[in-house]
Amino acid sequence: MAVMRSIMYIPGNNPKFISKIPTIPADIITFDLEDAIPPSEKVATREMIKESLQAGHAGGAQVFVRINNWETLLTDDDLEAIVWPGLDGVTLAKTGCADDVQRLDWKLEELERRRGIPVGTVKISMLLETAKGVINAAECCLASKRNVNAIFGAVDYCRDMHVKLTSAAVEQQYARAHVAVACRMAGIVAIDAPFVDYKDIPGFEKNVAEGRQMGYEGRMIIHPGQVEPSNKLYAPDPADVEWAQAVVKVFEEEGLAKGKASVSLNGKMVDTPVYLNAKDILATHLEIEAKNNSK
């Protein structure tokens, strides 16, 4: 699974922003067809996104499009316009239940077959940003083999809950943790909510650290200035990589090779879960290194 440390949202109707996409080092670029686009501009924006997809100017980033949810009656038209070669995935806004995801899966397959795209090419990302979506997070995350991530949408969630969005984020604690656990259960990536105070980088770093402890592996980004910090913060730091290399070495040489289930490293026990965690860290590190070297 490709790394998803930073998912940069670009208004699909803004040529200035679109022209800057090749300079943005995000792991995923997501064109927005939903909240950032007024109803009067939806049709024109679909065409702009289609043209950009065909031009292939995203560099090494994956390309997704955030589409309107089924209740708007815009979803079918969104998909008809954007599902073409060059599209890596779609993000379904305000995903509420498994039926929303399954319906999207069926529509994507129909379009793939009609347009000569290998079935399963277009992946699904879900925005879980309502009380309904959060409560149904587990079933949503399991609803399709196309699912690659779920994003916790704190702004709309707080609006739905009739509470104020705060920097302390107390009002988000349950939903934020619940979405992360649902993602891990389903084997997909948990993406944290946007940090709206985009000029507060220290606050952003603190918030990322808290989210990482919950299990989040990437971030929905609303300003280019957050991309580099996000890429850095969601990557294993050098100390983690060094620790993981030492764990793998000692466990394989002193444990597995000698039939032992646990060994010691610097006075601490290393057993199978610790070993597997270290392997995961190294796998992420190698994937990021490969991505950087391919640029």
Side-chain angles (χ1 to χ4, degrees):
M1 186 181 295
V3 290
M4 305 178 194
R5 299 164 297 172
S6 52
I7 302 179
M8 180 74 206
Y9 272 59
I10 302 289
N13 64 342
N14 192 315
K16 180 181 177 181
F17 285 155
I18 292 174
S19 68
K20 293 181 178 179
I21 287 175
T23 68
I24 300 173
D27 289 331
I28 297 177
I29 295 293
T30 298
F31 291 104
D32 197 359
L33 255 175
E34 197 225 5
D35 282 350
I37 310 301
S40 61
E41 295 187 27
K42 299 284 188 185
V43 174
T45 301
R46 290 179 187 131
E47 289 305 309
M48 291 181 67
I49 292 174
K50 178 181 175 181
E51 291 173 7
S52 183
L53 287 169
Q54 292 173 337
H57 291 157
Q62 297 181 71
V63 180
F64 280 57
V65 178
R66 175 164 72 167
I67 59 175
N68 295 278
N69 69 305
W70 295 107
E71 293 179 0
T72 66
L73 304 182
L74 296 170
T75 318
D76 279 318
D77 289 339
D78 287 348
L79 293 168
E80 287 284 344
I82 64 161
V83 178
W84 296 96
L87 178 69
D88 293 302
V90 294
T91 299
L92 182 62
K94 299 177 179 65
T95 304
C97 61
D99 286 348
D100 291 343
V101 182
Q102 290 164 354
R103 185 178 176 186
L104 176 56
D105 189 320
W106 298 332
K107 181 63 177 180
L108 289 172
E109 180 172 347
E110 187 267 320
L111 285 166
E112 287 169 337
R113 292 185 184 280
R114 185 164 16 121
R115 292 174 178 170
I117 302 169
V119 172
T121 295
V122 182
K123 304 306 180 185
I124 293 176
S125 165
M126 300 157 288
L127 261 162
L128 301 176
E129 49 188 339
T130 62
K132 181 179 179 181
V134 169
I135 290 297
N136 294 330
E139 66 176 57
C140 290
C141 290
L142 289 171
S144 171
K145 292 181 179 179
R146 295 178 187 266
N147 289 347
V148 291
N149 71 51
I151 305 168
F152 171 51
V155 176
D156 279 285
Y157 170 76
C158 288
R159 180 177 63 82
D160 192 35
M161 291 296 293
H162 300 171
V163 297
K164 184 179 179 180
L165 180 75
T166 69
S167 57
V170 173
E171 70 285 348
Q172 304 169 40
Q173 287 179 352
Y174 167 76
R176 195 179 181 198
H178 186 72
V179 169
V181 173
C183 288
R184 176 54 53 210
M185 176 274 303
I188 65 176
V189 176
I191 303 295
D192 213 345
F195 189 77
V196 296
D197 190 359
Y198 60 85
K199 293 184 178 180
D200 181 9
I201 296 302
F204 176 76
E205 292 174 346
K206 179 177 181 293
N207 191 263
V208 167
E210 293 169 352
R212 286 199 66 178
Q213 284 300 101
M214 293 181 180
Y216 283 93
E217 299 178 67
R219 195 93 200 198
M220 180 176 168
I221 301 294
I222 58 172
H223 189 275
Q226 294 176 323
V227 173
E228 290 285 9
S230 187
N231 286 346
K232 179 181 178 181
L233 292 166
Y234 285 106
D237 63 36
D240 288 336
V241 174
E242 185 178 348
W243 171 84
Q245 290 170 335
V247 165
V248 169
K249 185 175 187 296
V250 72
F251 192 79
E252 291 182 350
E253 293 181 357
E254 300 298 324
L256 295 178
K258 298 179 180 181
K260 296 179 181 179
S262 66
V263 295
S264 177
L265 176 66
N266 299 327
K268 295 183 179 180
M269 182 186 73
V270 174
D271 59 3
T272 299
V274 176
Y275 168 69
L276 294 176
N277 182 44
K279 295 265 286 186
D280 288 342
I281 290 172
L282 293 180
T284 300
H285 171 69
L286 290 174
E287 187 170 1
I288 293 169
E289 288 290 296
K291 178 181 175 64
N292 292 338
N293 293 332
S294 67
K295 293 180 180 178

